[in-house]
């Protein structure tokens, strides 16, 4: 429980609490003032009569009335006086977590360190030390002010806890003996260059042994400058490691990378993609080799393949497979240009494919981190699809589907402690998961949210916007703002968004992904005519995309 002593009440030190103020004019400008005066008087009465339950009840009721009256008032969204009222209310009802969640949903005083200090101390009082540690870290990750004070309070908490743990280690009956501070959750930005550079340094010896790893300490000095490829690329020959690549065009340009379509040794049947990055970035090659090691053969075609990487002092060139049928984004756009939306049966099929991908990835300790339709290449079977082999995903269906590429933001969970939670921001508009939007730690949510955005784009033809609603118990949930069309199968789509947008645990989500995937598969299996419709829809889509 959080306690404010009568003589050290922070609210009392606020000049606005003076009972000498003229109420009329100030109350019009600042309508919370009369409530503050009443609460101050009730607090004094409660302290003077600590054994009087009526005084305590009046004090609590005034706090609750004030919180309810002004929680949605923008004027007090960042008012430290209202923050202190909320803290007192959480203490009065002995349920600070409920109050904290309401403040989180409403966006009340989220940048004030006092909020996290008070919440953490209430958890300490209840013996929830691990949770208190996490609250301190949450406030620090949000840069709550004054940040130095919050860090100092956290340091004092850790020092005290370390002393307690040291004393308890000798006592086998103590709960603390099995809760070393080293086992507590840590927060890491997996995309920061210091983090990646540190991991690559530690693994350098092993990475050098990977097949296809070619490194030079010199700058690239080929006859054809990569900087000249942007404007005059067609048919130029690039030599790398004894191989000649005939550039056939640019497939994509970014701030740090360019991707070119190329023929290997001028062979039009051997098409590759060259990804050129400045500065050199070997991390993506490392992630591709982890896919080779961990992904089962039957699922491997659903994930891109890298043949080799050439590392120079100034740049790197990743040599990958090239798929010529476009991306899932292209498939979505092909409908939008005709003022149509993707057929629901196609949406169901690609949702199954994406759920299977994430189920496979997360099951082997890998997070993609940049799950969006531009990074999902469309695969088409060379042979005609048959209805009978759809459920078993055999025959031509094994070659049909999607292929996930671009692993520059891939996360290998085996390189971090099991309890690590991530705080990096992908900074990709429309694909920032709820936790990133609210400056909270995340893990598998980054991929799950990306999947929801893609499904929303397929169904609605637009990016997803979400709304946050408070549940009766004070918790909250998220959902897409745009409702489902009445002719869609809402029994499939609603659980998908509800479950994936509200992942609370950092534990494995594999079972959930599998359950969702099976619900979509069972729906198609129970409606065989839909599989026939799907086959024809895929054929039409292929004809449209491949002729463009």
């Amino acid at each position: 429980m959080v306690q404010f002593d009568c003589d050290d009440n922070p609210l009392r030190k606020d000049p606005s609490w003076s009972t000498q103020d003229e109420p009329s004019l100030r109350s019009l400008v600042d309508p919370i003032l009369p409530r503050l005066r009443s609460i101050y008087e009730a607090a004094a009465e409660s302290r003077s009569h600590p054994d009087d339950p009526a005084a305590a009840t009046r004090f609590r009721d005034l706090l609750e009335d004030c919180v309810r009256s002004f929680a949605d008032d923008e004027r007090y969204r960042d008012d430290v006086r209202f923050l202190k009222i909320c803290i007192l209310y959480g203490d009065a009802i002995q349920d600070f977590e409920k109050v904290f969640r309401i403040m989180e949903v409403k966006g009340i005083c989220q940048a004030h360190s006092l909020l996290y200090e008070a919440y953490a101390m209430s958890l300490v009082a209840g013996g929830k030390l691990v949770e208190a540690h996490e609250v301190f870290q949450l406030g620090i990750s949000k840069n709550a002010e004054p940040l130095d004070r919050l860090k100092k309070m956290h340091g004092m908490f850790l020092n005290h806890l370390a002393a307690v743990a040291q004393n308890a280690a000798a006592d086998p009956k103590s709960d603390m003996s099995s809760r070393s501070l080293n086992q507590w959750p840590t927060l890491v930005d997996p995309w920061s260059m210091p983090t990646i550079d540190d991991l690559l340094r530690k693994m350098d010896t092993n990475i050098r042994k990977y097949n296809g790893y070619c490194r030079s300490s010199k700058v690239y000095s080929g006859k054809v400058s990569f900087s000249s490829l942007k404007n005059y690329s067609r048919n130029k020959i690039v030599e790398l490691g004894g191989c000649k690549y005939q550039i056939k065009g640019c497939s994509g340009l970014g701030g740090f990378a360019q991707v070119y379509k190329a023929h290997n040794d001028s062979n039009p049947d051997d098409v590759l993609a060259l990804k050129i990055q400045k500065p050199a970035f070997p991390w993506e090659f490392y992630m591709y080799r982890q896919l080779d090691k961990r992904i089962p053969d039957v699922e491997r075609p659903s994930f891109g393949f890298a043949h080799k990487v050439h590392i120079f002092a100034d740049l790197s060139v990743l040599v990958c497979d090239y798929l010529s049928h476009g991306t899932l984004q292209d498939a979505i756009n092909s409908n939008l240009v005709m003022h149509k939306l993707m057929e629901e049966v196609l949406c169901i099929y690609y949702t199954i494919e994406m759920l299977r991908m994430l189920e496979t990835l997360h099951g082997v300790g890998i997070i993609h981190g940049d799950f969006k339709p531009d990074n999902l290449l469309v695969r088409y079977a060379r042979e005609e699809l048959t209805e009978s082999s759809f459920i078993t995903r055999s025959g031509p269906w094994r070659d049909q589907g999607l292929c996930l590429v671009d692993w520059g933001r891939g996360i290998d969970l085996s390189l971090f402690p099991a309890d690590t939670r991530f705080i990096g921001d992908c900074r990709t508009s429309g694909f920032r998961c709820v936790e990133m939007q609210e400056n909270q730690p995340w893990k598998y949510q980054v991929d799950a949210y990306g999947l929801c955005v893609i499904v929303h784009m397929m169904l609605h033809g637009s990016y997803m916007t979400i709304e946050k609603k408070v549940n009766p118990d004070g918790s909250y949930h998220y959902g897409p703002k745009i409702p489902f069309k009445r002719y869609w199968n809402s029994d499939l789509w609603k659980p998908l968004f509800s479950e994936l947008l509200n992942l609370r645990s950092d534990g494995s989500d594999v079972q959930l992904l599998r359950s969702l995937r099976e619900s979509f598969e069972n729906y198609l299996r129970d409606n065989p005519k839909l599989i026939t419709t799907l086959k024809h829809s895929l054929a039409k889509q292929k004809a449209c995309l491949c002729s463009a």
Side-chain angles (χ1 to χ4, degrees):
M1 182 184 297
V2 180
Q3 296 287 347
F4 288 124
D5 184 74
C6 177
D7 296 327
D8 193 36
N9 191 324
L11 296 177
R12 191 176 187 181
K13 298 175 182 179
D14 193 317
S16 65
W17 284 75
S18 172
T19 57
Q20 303 301 316
D21 290 334
E22 289 296 330
S24 55
L25 182 58
R26 293 193 65 188
S27 296
L28 290 174
V29 178
D30 192 7
I32 201 173
L33 270 178
R35 309 293 184 95
L36 298 181
R37 294 191 185 94
S38 298
I39 290 170
Y40 178 76
E41 293 169 358
E45 181 184 358
S46 180
R47 286 191 296 270
S48 300
H49 304 87
D51 297 325
D52 184 359
T57 299
R58 179 172 177 269
F59 180 52
R60 185 194 62 219
D61 290 347
L62 286 171
L63 290 169
E64 182 174 351
D65 182 61
C66 186
V67 170
R68 287 184 174 178
S69 298
F70 295 101
D72 293 312
D73 194 323
E74 292 290 338
R75 289 172 293 184
Y76 303 105
R77 188 71 74 243
D78 200 40
D79 192 317
V80 71
R81 298 172 304 168
F82 188 57
L83 167 60
K84 293 172 182 177
I85 290 296
C86 292
I87 291 173
L88 285 174
Y89 177 54
D91 182 41
I93 65 174
Q94 298 185 30
D95 190 355
F96 203 110
E97 181 177 1
K98 175 183 177 181
V99 177
F100 181 82
R101 296 305 175 197
I102 293 174
M103 296 176 71
E104 195 174 29
V105 171
K106 305 283 188 182
I108 299 170
C109 296
Q110 295 295 292
H112 286 274
S113 65
L114 179 60
L115 171 62
Y116 305 96
E117 293 172 27
Y119 187 18
M121 289 301 99
S122 73
L123 291 168
V124 170
K128 298 180 178 180
L129 303 181
V130 174
E131 291 85 348
H133 172 65
E134 292 179 336
V135 169
F136 272 122
Q137 287 193 314
L138 176 59
I140 292 170
S141 73
K142 291 187 175 184
N143 293 316
E145 291 293 342
L147 185 59
D148 288 343
R149 172 186 165 88
L150 184 60
K151 289 182 177 179
K152 182 179 180 180
M153 292 283 289
H154 187 213
M156 293 170 61
F157 166 75
L158 292 179
N159 290 337
H160 172 71
L161 202 60
V164 173
Q166 185 175 5
N167 294 332
D171 183 1
K173 296 180 181 179
S174 173
D175 291 337
M176 286 297 299
S177 62
S178 61
R179 279 194 152 179
S180 167
L181 291 178
N182 293 329
Q183 296 175 329
W184 283 23
T186 54
L187 300 179
V188 176
D189 181 350
W191 299 321
S192 72
M193 288 315 300
T195 298
I196 292 176
D197 289 343
D198 182 57
L199 293 174
L200 288 172
R201 275 194 301 270
K202 292 176 180 177
M203 298 181 296
D204 184 63
T205 302
N206 291 330
I207 294 177
R208 289 175 182 269
K209 297 177 182 178
Y210 289 159
N211 182 41
Y213 183 85
C214 311
R215 189 180 189 97
S216 171
S217 60
K218 301 178 181 180
V219 299
Y220 173 74
S221 57
K223 294 180 180 179
V224 175
S225 170
F226 286 122
S227 61
S228 69
L229 293 180
K230 247 181 231 187
N231 301 319
Y232 308 102
S233 58
R234 188 168 293 278
N235 295 323
K236 285 192 174 182
I237 303 295
V238 173
E239 295 189 33
L240 291 167
C243 294
K244 295 182 178 181
Y245 302 98
Q246 184 181 27
I247 304 298
K248 303 305 292 183
C250 181
S251 299
L253 293 173
F256 300 98
Q258 297 85 43
V259 180
Y260 296 93
K261 175 183 177 182
H263 291 166
N264 191 9
D265 288 331
S266 300
N267 181 0
D269 295 325
D270 190 0
V271 186
L272 298 168
L274 303 185
K275 185 172 185 177
I276 303 162
Q277 292 180 273
K278 295 182 179 181
F281 191 66
W283 179 258
E284 187 168 4
F285 178 75
Y286 167 79
M287 290 303 305
Y288 272 112
R289 285 297 174 262
Q290 298 313 302
L291 296 174
D292 296 338
K293 289 182 177 182
R294 304 185 202 181
I295 301 297
D297 290 343
V298 68
E299 300 293 342
R300 191 64 184 85
S302 295
F303 305 94
F305 181 79
H307 296 272
K308 59 183 69 175
V309 66
H310 297 272
I311 307 290
F312 298 94
D314 56 335
L315 57 82
S316 60
V317 183
L318 188 67
V319 183
C320 303
D321 278 348
Y322 181 88
L323 294 179
S324 59
H325 298 138
T327 66
L328 185 55
Q329 182 70 67
D330 296 325
I332 295 171
N333 291 342
S334 69
N335 290 281
L336 295 179
V337 296
M338 302 296 292
H339 303 288
K340 297 180 180 179
L341 297 175
M342 185 178 285
E343 296 175 66
E344 187 179 19
V345 69
L346 277 176
C347 297
I348 291 173
Y349 172 67
Y350 285 129
T351 299
I352 292 172
E353 286 290 295
M354 291 187 291
L355 286 168
R356 187 188 301 275
M357 279 181 176
L358 296 189
E359 177 188 337
T360 301
L361 274 183
H362 295 179
V364 297
I366 293 176
I367 294 174
H368 184 264
D370 198 15
F371 202 75
K372 57 186 182 181
D374 311 75
N375 292 333
L376 288 162
L377 303 181
V378 179
R379 296 186 296 127
Y380 291 108
R382 295 182 180 180
E383 300 176 18
E384 185 177 353
L385 299 170
T386 60
E387 289 85 347
S388 59
S389 58
F390 171 78
I391 297 301
T392 58
R393 206 164 168 252
S394 57
W397 287 102
R398 284 195 60 185
D399 301 321
Q400 182 77 38
L402 298 170
C403 178
L404 184 58
V405 297
D406 198 343
W407 290 86
R409 285 186 177 154
I411 302 172
D412 178 2
L413 294 176
S414 70
L415 302 179
F416 301 93
D419 59 357
T420 299
R421 298 162 76 187
F422 302 109
I423 57 173
D425 193 321
C426 69
R427 305 192 184 283
T428 302
S429 179
F431 289 89
R432 298 172 66 243
C433 64
V434 170
E435 289 71 20
M436 290 178 188
Q437 295 176 39
E438 300 186 346
N439 294 313
Q440 295 185 16
W442 51 266
K443 198 167 188 178
Y444 299 108
Q445 293 93 335
V446 63
D447 285 347
Y449 190 87
L451 186 148
C452 288
V453 175
I454 297 170
V455 173
H456 193 279
M457 293 173 71
M458 292 191 299
L459 289 171
H460 296 281
S462 63
Y463 285 102
M464 179 178 68
T465 55
I466 58 174
E467 56 184 357
K468 187 175 186 177
K469 296 183 178 179
V470 182
N471 296 323
D473 63 356
S475 62
Y476 52 85
H477 67 278
Y478 300 87
K481 282 187 177 180
I482 302 179
F484 300 105
K485 296 187 183 298
R486 61 179 179 272
Y487 52 82
W488 288 343
N489 192 317
S490 296
D491 291 341
L492 287 177
W493 300 117
K494 284 183 178 179
L496 177 87
F497 286 96
S498 177
E499 295 287 350
L500 295 185
L501 289 179
N502 294 280
L503 287 176
R504 292 288 181 266
S505 170
D506 293 311
S508 174
D509 62 348
V510 170
Q511 185 56 48
L512 170 61
L513 294 168
R514 181 180 299 119
S515 175
L516 291 170
R517 170 177 60 81
E518 289 174 349
S519 68
F520 282 87
E521 289 177 335
N522 291 338
Y523 174 70
L524 292 183
R525 182 177 58 199
D526 294 342
N527 297 273
K529 290 183 179 179
L530 285 178
I531 300 177
T532 302
T533 302
L534 171 63
K535 189 182 79 165
H536 293 316
S537 297
L538 287 169
K540 285 193 298 182
Q541 180 181 275
K542 181 179 179 180
C544 175
L545 290 179
C546 295
S547 62

